[in-house]
Amino acid sequence: MSASFCRPPAEAVEAVVSALGQRFGARCTTSQAVRDQHAHTLTWVAPQPPDAVVFPHSTEEVQEIVRLCAAHRVPVIPYGTGSSLEGQVNAPFGGISIDTREMNRIVAVHAEDLDVVVEPGVTRSTLNSYLRDAGLFFPIDPGFDASFGGMAATRASGTNAVRYGTMKDNVLALKAVLANGEVITTASRAKKSSAGYDLTRLLVGSEGTLGIITELTIRLSGIPEAISAGICPFPSIEAACEATIATIQSGIPVARIELLDEVAVSASNRYSKLDLPVTPMLFLEFHGTKAWVAEQAQRFGEIAAELGGGPFDWATEPERRSKLWQARHDAFWAALALRPGCSGLSGDVCVPISRLADCAAETKRDAAELGLTVSMVGHVGDGNFHALVVIDNDDADEVKRCKTFLKRMVDRAIAMEGTCTGEHGVGQGKMGYIGAELGDGALDAMRAVKRALDPHNILNPGKIFAL
Amino acid sequence: MSASFCRPPAEAVEAVVSALGQRFGARCTTSQAVRDQHAHTLTWVAPQPPDAVVFPHSTEEVQEIVRLCAAHRVPVIPYGTGSSLEGQVNAPFGGISIDTREMNRIVAVHAEDLDVVVEPGVTRSTLNSYLRDAGLFFPIDPGFDASFGGMAATRASGTNAVRYGTMKDNVLALKAVLANGEVITTASRAKKSSAGYDLTRLLVGSEGTLGIITELTIRLSGIPEAISAGICPFPSIEAACEATIATIQSGIPVARIELLDEVAVSASNRYSKLDLPVTPMLFLEFHGTKAWVAEQAQRFGEIAAELGGGPFDWATEPERRSKLWQARHDAFWAALALRPGCSGLSGDVCVPISRLADCAAETKRDAAELGLTVSMVGHVGDGNFHALVVIDNDDADEVKRCKTFLKRMVDRAIAMEGTCTGEHGVGQGKMGYIGAELGDGALDAMRAVKRALDPHNILNPGKIFAL
């Protein structure tokens, strides 16, 4: 562990906390409860609270905080809603958590340009409620009501990504405070540009290690004229994956195509009060004009039938649609409810779609072999799936088997030319896998970029890779 | 001009050229004709030939060349087909041009995953011919038959970008040789990933200043079941732009929507032997199923009629379609043919689409005021347009007026929250505009990244920004 990863001296932290207290009053707190809350993670990653939490109101205030911390070499950890899954908001070396919840203004809506400027604390559902009357929406839906700052920082995606892309595709421009306290604007509002290095995409997915995002210009989409959703049972995970591959290859622009294995279906039946047949299932959604969604649904139905799936229940009623998607989004909680008192791990890999059926099936067999409770769900149109493992953290042997399972899952995905994380990011949970996935050359290049932009390693240290 | 921008000492260049000659034999040349060819530019940018040109066959050979040049601090300039428009292939400080034309293998086609692995010298049309039987195609079409290395390096886009995105959206992963001679792989073949910094997008658009691309994994699309193309006249540029805005907002997924002003139409009539009415015109293309393209075309026709355009001539015959698109792609040559013996400048800006009509109309007025011959074409669905200026380089006053025109065009776009280049890149022609567009913070961050990855500034020096 290099010197840059040491906890700063107590005097440095005290100096920063005291100055922040004077400057921000009640908007800076060292209360144990608030600090614990800011290190809360949704998964089995152990919490590591910061030394203090500050709630800035503007880019300039973030600048002040970063400059103060930089002067004392005290870590800065950005915080959105805390829904990240790999320990991204933890403070392994202490430091100041910058909670952006009060930077929650929708700065400007440009309906004609299909874009909006927001502060990082605005959440997805807040924006979509605000936009409804304009006939516009923000399509990315990671399942939680995450903040835009957090979604950009982790390169989030979710159920709609197969049609609308991920955060990398939907952020037009960012404003961010760098480690040196300077504010940068990464791009104009133009839909495309070839003006120099793509700083927008460099920050998207950097998990707060290169800059603190203080404003985002986001692409919007028109609310489709017609939306139809449907569910389709399959005899096996392999058949469901094959149907997904055929659907994508045939060019049907599915808006969502989500897999639930029989464990996830059963858990959802219980948790979300559904009565689905307990077998692998695809949940789908089509967007377009009325005639066009009908054509898409019909074509998918034919593909499913050919691969032994179906009947394809094509439920257009908005109420049933909402209930099904809520159940899909609650799959993590439904899995946890299988073993009350346990914690969860949401394994996240992504492979070329041709390898999806193999990868998912092998992962399932491995879970059975290791005697773990695993529910599987996936954004299968992108080759991305999650193994939701329910763990008794007090059972040392189970924890050990869980670690084995996770490592094998990642190794398997990498061996299949996939990635160690499709959308949850690296954080602390996946540190050490980038080298295995991309080799030392890429890792060294990432480190060189990090050192160039944050030479004292004050921005979210201890995440993504060791320096 | 900093020390890092000086031409290397003659002995250093001689040492490199001599070693390359020994190593590569006839694949290394100092012939004046070949050197001149490699500094040839399509526009008014003056040529600056390299000291030698090498034709490597593999990533390892590129590594050797870069290591040798790095040891002697001699510049390295990557070269694809030389169709860049802003002097990207020039060698202002001399050095070695790496021509990738013999790295032209299609390494692997993954039809099921809709991706392909190619060497950088493969061109767009070569790949599309190769893929035709597989029912797949690569959608990005910058007009020239450019190489994949070059298209990625300049973040190219073109007519299909409104539907299929730009190179940033269609490169899955890259292999590249960095200034230190190390090879990096930027990503896996997974369709999405959150595994660390987005090195792929950092290299895409870096114009050879951060690494030499030696292999690309590229996304493909299925050849649409039905394609229909059409042309639609409008009474004014404003009306054509308004129709474009309404089309995009209404969610019609046009595959192409291209503007030609009356000068461009007239030039195309002459050059491409067409008989179009001499008035601003939109060229469109729709992709989808038979029923779906018909619905899209009908909806567009309604929008056009409402805005005073039409009749919308919806020509589905492949032959006429090819002829029209060839004419659109030849617009640059058609403009040059207006004044034989003159050279051209392809002004390239991109603005939020709501400002497109204003920006295009003001640019047209400005051309008239300055007495310049300007033909305008644009990828207007993205808010991107080109002013093709035909210049007599021997007329000092005209050259001066042309520079004024270009500066005003860029300033206008930036004032409208747009970018100084939508797709041609910065090269030499647009140096100095990034700071105006994004501010010094972004420029400093780009410089920091460049210095971190290329401390001796050997990779394509004198491009994008001054160090």
mmCIF file of all heavy atoms in Angstrom, chain B residues 115-140:
data_model
loop_
_atom_site.group_PDB
_atom_site.id
_atom_site.type_symbol
_atom_site.label_atom_id
_atom_site.label_comp_id
_atom_site.label_asym_id
_atom_site.label_seq_id
_atom_site.Cartn_x
_atom_site.Cartn_y
_atom_site.Cartn_z
ATOM 1 N N ASP B 115 -20.526 -7.843 -33.922
ATOM 2 C CA ASP B 115 -19.278 -7.081 -33.892
ATOM 3 C C ASP B 115 -18.235 -7.714 -34.793
ATOM 4 O O ASP B 115 -18.400 -8.863 -35.240
ATOM 5 C CB ASP B 115 -18.764 -6.873 -32.455
ATOM 6 C CG ASP B 115 -18.140 -8.107 -31.828
ATOM 7 O OD1 ASP B 115 -17.204 -8.672 -32.407
ATOM 8 O OD2 ASP B 115 -18.573 -8.485 -30.719
ATOM 9 N N VAL B 116 -17.197 -6.943 -35.071
ATOM 10 C CA VAL B 116 -16.127 -7.417 -35.939
ATOM 11 C C VAL B 116 -14.814 -6.827 -35.430
ATOM 12 O O VAL B 116 -14.797 -5.721 -34.882
ATOM 13 C CB VAL B 116 -16.403 -6.986 -37.404
ATOM 14 C CG1 VAL B 116 -16.450 -5.479 -37.543
ATOM 15 C CG2 VAL B 116 -15.386 -7.546 -38.387
ATOM 16 N N VAL B 117 -13.745 -7.607 -35.575
ATOM 17 C CA VAL B 117 -12.421 -7.123 -35.189
ATOM 18 C C VAL B 117 -11.638 -6.839 -36.465
ATOM 19 O O VAL B 117 -11.529 -7.715 -37.326
ATOM 20 C CB VAL B 117 -11.684 -8.166 -34.321
ATOM 21 C CG1 VAL B 117 -10.322 -7.643 -33.882
ATOM 22 C CG2 VAL B 117 -12.539 -8.560 -33.112
ATOM 23 N N VAL B 118 -11.145 -5.615 -36.600
ATOM 24 C CA VAL B 118 -10.424 -5.251 -37.831
ATOM 25 C C VAL B 118 -9.106 -4.577 -37.497
ATOM 26 O O VAL B 118 -8.927 -4.000 -36.423
ATOM 27 C CB VAL B 118 -11.244 -4.275 -38.715
ATOM 28 C CG1 VAL B 118 -12.530 -4.919 -39.211
ATOM 29 C CG2 VAL B 118 -11.540 -2.970 -37.995
ATOM 30 N N GLU B 119 -8.193 -4.632 -38.452
ATOM 31 C CA GLU B 119 -6.975 -3.832 -38.358
ATOM 32 C C GLU B 119 -7.293 -2.416 -38.837
ATOM 33 O O GLU B 119 -8.279 -2.195 -39.551
ATOM 34 C CB GLU B 119 -5.871 -4.502 -39.180
ATOM 35 C CG GLU B 119 -5.373 -5.788 -38.517
ATOM 36 C CD GLU B 119 -4.153 -6.395 -39.205
ATOM 37 O OE1 GLU B 119 -3.964 -6.165 -40.422
ATOM 38 O OE2 GLU B 119 -3.397 -7.102 -38.530
ATOM 39 N N PRO B 120 -6.449 -1.446 -38.475
ATOM 40 C CA PRO B 120 -6.814 -0.049 -38.711
ATOM 41 C C PRO B 120 -6.856 0.364 -40.172
ATOM 42 O O PRO B 120 -7.516 1.343 -40.514
ATOM 43 C CB PRO B 120 -5.726 0.735 -37.966
ATOM 44 C CG PRO B 120 -4.576 -0.200 -37.852
ATOM 45 C CD PRO B 120 -5.185 -1.563 -37.726
ATOM 46 N N GLY B 121 -6.176 -0.398 -41.051
ATOM 47 C CA GLY B 121 -6.138 -0.009 -42.452
ATOM 48 C C GLY B 121 -7.345 -0.467 -43.261
ATOM 49 O O GLY B 121 -7.502 -0.093 -44.415
ATOM 50 N N VAL B 122 -8.215 -1.289 -42.646
ATOM 51 C CA VAL B 122 -9.433 -1.721 -43.345
ATOM 52 C C VAL B 122 -10.320 -0.503 -43.575
ATOM 53 O O VAL B 122 -10.471 0.326 -42.686
ATOM 54 C CB VAL B 122 -10.194 -2.773 -42.509
ATOM 55 C CG1 VAL B 122 -11.534 -3.127 -43.138
ATOM 56 C CG2 VAL B 122 -9.342 -4.022 -42.320
ATOM 57 N N THR B 123 -10.885 -0.394 -44.767
ATOM 58 C CA THR B 123 -11.775 0.740 -45.013
ATOM 59 C C THR B 123 -13.226 0.295 -44.896
ATOM 60 O O THR B 123 -13.547 -0.893 -44.973
ATOM 61 C CB THR B 123 -11.565 1.365 -46.404
ATOM 62 O OG1 THR B 123 -12.021 0.443 -47.403
ATOM 63 C CG2 THR B 123 -10.094 1.715 -46.645
ATOM 64 N N ARG B 124 -14.042 1.289 -44.734
ATOM 65 C CA ARG B 124 -15.481 1.139 -44.584
ATOM 66 C C ARG B 124 -16.081 0.298 -45.706
ATOM 67 O O ARG B 124 -16.822 -0.641 -45.458
ATOM 68 C CB ARG B 124 -16.046 2.555 -44.631
ATOM 69 C CG ARG B 124 -17.394 2.772 -44.105
ATOM 70 C CD ARG B 124 -17.722 4.248 -44.243
ATOM 71 N NE ARG B 124 -17.659 4.693 -45.621
ATOM 72 C CZ ARG B 124 -18.531 4.381 -46.552
ATOM 73 N NH1 ARG B 124 -19.564 3.636 -46.266
ATOM 74 N NH2 ARG B 124 -18.401 4.835 -47.784
ATOM 75 N N SER B 125 -15.761 0.624 -46.947
ATOM 76 C CA SER B 125 -16.418 -0.074 -48.055
ATOM 77 C C SER B 125 -15.897 -1.506 -48.170
ATOM 78 O O SER B 125 -16.645 -2.412 -48.516
ATOM 79 C CB SER B 125 -16.229 0.689 -49.367
ATOM 80 O OG SER B 125 -14.907 0.559 -49.804
ATOM 81 N N THR B 126 -14.617 -1.714 -47.862
ATOM 82 C CA THR B 126 -14.077 -3.085 -47.866
ATOM 83 C C THR B 126 -14.835 -3.944 -46.866
ATOM 84 O O THR B 126 -15.259 -5.060 -47.164
ATOM 85 C CB THR B 126 -12.578 -3.073 -47.478
ATOM 86 O OG1 THR B 126 -11.888 -2.217 -48.373
ATOM 87 C CG2 THR B 126 -11.986 -4.460 -47.515
ATOM 88 N N LEU B 127 -15.020 -3.413 -45.669
ATOM 89 C CA LEU B 127 -15.725 -4.188 -44.644
ATOM 90 C C LEU B 127 -17.166 -4.448 -45.076
ATOM 91 O O LEU B 127 -17.659 -5.575 -44.951
ATOM 92 C CB LEU B 127 -15.704 -3.450 -43.297
ATOM 93 C CG LEU B 127 -16.408 -4.221 -42.175
ATOM 94 C CD1 LEU B 127 -15.652 -5.505 -41.827
ATOM 95 C CD2 LEU B 127 -16.577 -3.370 -40.924
ATOM 96 N N ASN B 128 -17.837 -3.431 -45.587
ATOM 97 C CA ASN B 128 -19.242 -3.621 -45.945
ATOM 98 C C ASN B 128 -19.418 -4.611 -47.092
ATOM 99 O O ASN B 128 -20.383 -5.383 -47.095
ATOM 100 C CB ASN B 128 -19.912 -2.276 -46.224
ATOM 101 C CG ASN B 128 -20.309 -1.590 -44.919
ATOM 102 O OD1 ASN B 128 -20.493 -2.252 -43.894
ATOM 103 N ND2 ASN B 128 -20.427 -0.280 -44.942
ATOM 104 N N SER B 129 -18.483 -4.626 -48.038
ATOM 105 C CA SER B 129 -18.555 -5.634 -49.100
ATOM 106 C C SER B 129 -18.388 -7.024 -48.497
ATOM 107 O O SER B 129 -19.116 -7.956 -48.827
ATOM 108 C CB SER B 129 -17.448 -5.416 -50.137
ATOM 109 O OG SER B 129 -17.568 -4.143 -50.700
ATOM 110 N N TYR B 130 -17.425 -7.122 -47.598
ATOM 111 C CA TYR B 130 -17.119 -8.414 -46.964
ATOM 112 C C TYR B 130 -18.305 -8.949 -46.173
ATOM 113 O O TYR B 130 -18.545 -10.144 -46.113
ATOM 114 C CB TYR B 130 -15.916 -8.205 -46.048
ATOM 115 C CG TYR B 130 -15.368 -9.446 -45.398
ATOM 116 C CD1 TYR B 130 -14.407 -10.219 -46.048
ATOM 117 C CD2 TYR B 130 -15.796 -9.845 -44.137
ATOM 118 C CE1 TYR B 130 -13.890 -11.351 -45.446
ATOM 119 C CE2 TYR B 130 -15.284 -10.987 -43.536
ATOM 120 C CZ TYR B 130 -14.334 -11.736 -44.187
ATOM 121 O OH TYR B 130 -13.821 -12.858 -43.594
ATOM 122 N N LEU B 131 -19.052 -8.027 -45.540
ATOM 123 C CA LEU B 131 -20.122 -8.432 -44.615
ATOM 124 C C LEU B 131 -21.456 -8.689 -45.281
ATOM 125 O O LEU B 131 -22.368 -9.243 -44.673
ATOM 126 C CB LEU B 131 -20.346 -7.331 -43.572
ATOM 127 C CG LEU B 131 -19.268 -7.117 -42.527
ATOM 128 C CD1 LEU B 131 -19.594 -5.875 -41.712
ATOM 129 C CD2 LEU B 131 -19.147 -8.346 -41.631
ATOM 130 N N ARG B 132 -21.584 -8.261 -46.548
ATOM 131 C CA ARG B 132 -22.919 -8.230 -47.152
ATOM 132 C C ARG B 132 -23.665 -9.552 -47.011
ATOM 133 O O ARG B 132 -24.837 -9.580 -46.636
ATOM 134 C CB ARG B 132 -22.812 -7.799 -48.615
ATOM 135 C CG ARG B 132 -24.150 -7.276 -49.139
ATOM 136 C CD ARG B 132 -23.946 -6.454 -50.383
ATOM 137 N NE ARG B 132 -23.221 -5.212 -50.121
ATOM 138 C CZ ARG B 132 -22.371 -4.633 -50.971
ATOM 139 N NH1 ARG B 132 -22.117 -5.209 -52.124
ATOM 140 N NH2 ARG B 132 -21.776 -3.499 -50.664
ATOM 141 N N ASP B 133 -22.979 -10.666 -47.266
ATOM 142 C CA ASP B 133 -23.655 -11.961 -47.218
ATOM 143 C C ASP B 133 -24.114 -12.344 -45.821
ATOM 144 O O ASP B 133 -25.000 -13.179 -45.665
ATOM 145 C CB ASP B 133 -22.733 -13.055 -47.770
ATOM 146 C CG ASP B 133 -22.509 -12.880 -49.264
ATOM 147 O OD1 ASP B 133 -23.329 -12.175 -49.891
ATOM 148 O OD2 ASP B 133 -21.516 -13.424 -49.790
ATOM 149 N N ALA B 134 -23.504 -11.738 -44.825
ATOM 150 C CA ALA B 134 -23.888 -12.062 -43.451
ATOM 151 C C ALA B 134 -25.106 -11.245 -43.014
ATOM 152 O O ALA B 134 -25.606 -11.413 -41.902
ATOM 153 C CB ALA B 134 -22.720 -11.801 -42.505
ATOM 154 N N GLY B 135 -25.591 -10.360 -43.901
ATOM 155 C CA GLY B 135 -26.756 -9.545 -43.536
ATOM 156 C C GLY B 135 -26.418 -8.440 -42.557
ATOM 157 O O GLY B 135 -27.294 -7.895 -41.881
ATOM 158 N N LEU B 136 -25.135 -8.101 -42.471
ATOM 159 C CA LEU B 136 -24.692 -7.085 -41.505
ATOM 160 C C LEU B 136 -24.039 -5.926 -42.230
ATOM 161 O O LEU B 136 -23.546 -6.075 -43.348
ATOM 162 C CB LEU B 136 -23.684 -7.703 -40.536
ATOM 163 C CG LEU B 136 -24.205 -8.855 -39.675
ATOM 164 C CD1 LEU B 136 -23.044 -9.535 -38.959
ATOM 165 C CD2 LEU B 136 -25.233 -8.350 -38.671
ATOM 166 N N PHE B 137 -23.993 -4.774 -41.575
ATOM 167 C CA PHE B 137 -23.235 -3.655 -42.148
ATOM 168 C C PHE B 137 -22.734 -2.747 -41.050
ATOM 169 O O PHE B 137 -23.209 -2.776 -39.915
ATOM 170 C CB PHE B 137 -24.065 -2.891 -43.186
ATOM 171 C CG PHE B 137 -25.053 -1.892 -42.630
ATOM 172 C CD1 PHE B 137 -24.970 -0.537 -42.952
ATOM 173 C CD2 PHE B 137 -26.079 -2.293 -41.777
ATOM 174 C CE1 PHE B 137 -25.885 0.392 -42.453
ATOM 175 C CE2 PHE B 137 -27.011 -1.378 -41.278
ATOM 176 C CZ PHE B 137 -26.911 -0.035 -41.614
ATOM 177 N N PHE B 138 -21.718 -1.952 -41.423
ATOM 178 C CA PHE B 138 -21.202 -0.935 -40.526
ATOM 179 C C PHE B 138 -21.821 0.394 -40.966
ATOM 180 O O PHE B 138 -21.613 0.828 -42.104
ATOM 181 C CB PHE B 138 -19.676 -0.864 -40.614
ATOM 182 C CG PHE B 138 -19.113 0.246 -39.779
ATOM 183 C CD1 PHE B 138 -19.098 0.137 -38.400
ATOM 184 C CD2 PHE B 138 -18.649 1.411 -40.358
ATOM 185 C CE1 PHE B 138 -18.614 1.174 -37.619
ATOM 186 C CE2 PHE B 138 -18.163 2.451 -39.583
ATOM 187 C CZ PHE B 138 -18.149 2.322 -38.216
ATOM 188 N N PRO B 139 -22.600 1.019 -40.089
ATOM 189 C CA PRO B 139 -23.451 2.112 -40.563
ATOM 190 C C PRO B 139 -22.776 3.465 -40.762
ATOM 191 O O PRO B 139 -23.300 4.288 -41.501
ATOM 192 C CB PRO B 139 -24.518 2.209 -39.471
ATOM 193 C CG PRO B 139 -23.890 1.657 -38.241
ATOM 194 C CD PRO B 139 -22.884 0.652 -38.694
ATOM 195 N N ILE B 140 -21.648 3.718 -40.116
ATOM 196 C CA ILE B 140 -21.113 5.077 -40.182
ATOM 197 C C ILE B 140 -20.495 5.347 -41.543
ATOM 198 O O ILE B 140 -19.718 4.551 -42.052
ATOM 199 C CB ILE B 140 -20.094 5.316 -39.055
ATOM 200 C CG1 ILE B 140 -20.826 5.208 -37.714
ATOM 201 C CG2 ILE B 140 -19.458 6.694 -39.190
ATOM 202 C CD1 ILE B 140 -19.943 5.381 -36.540
#
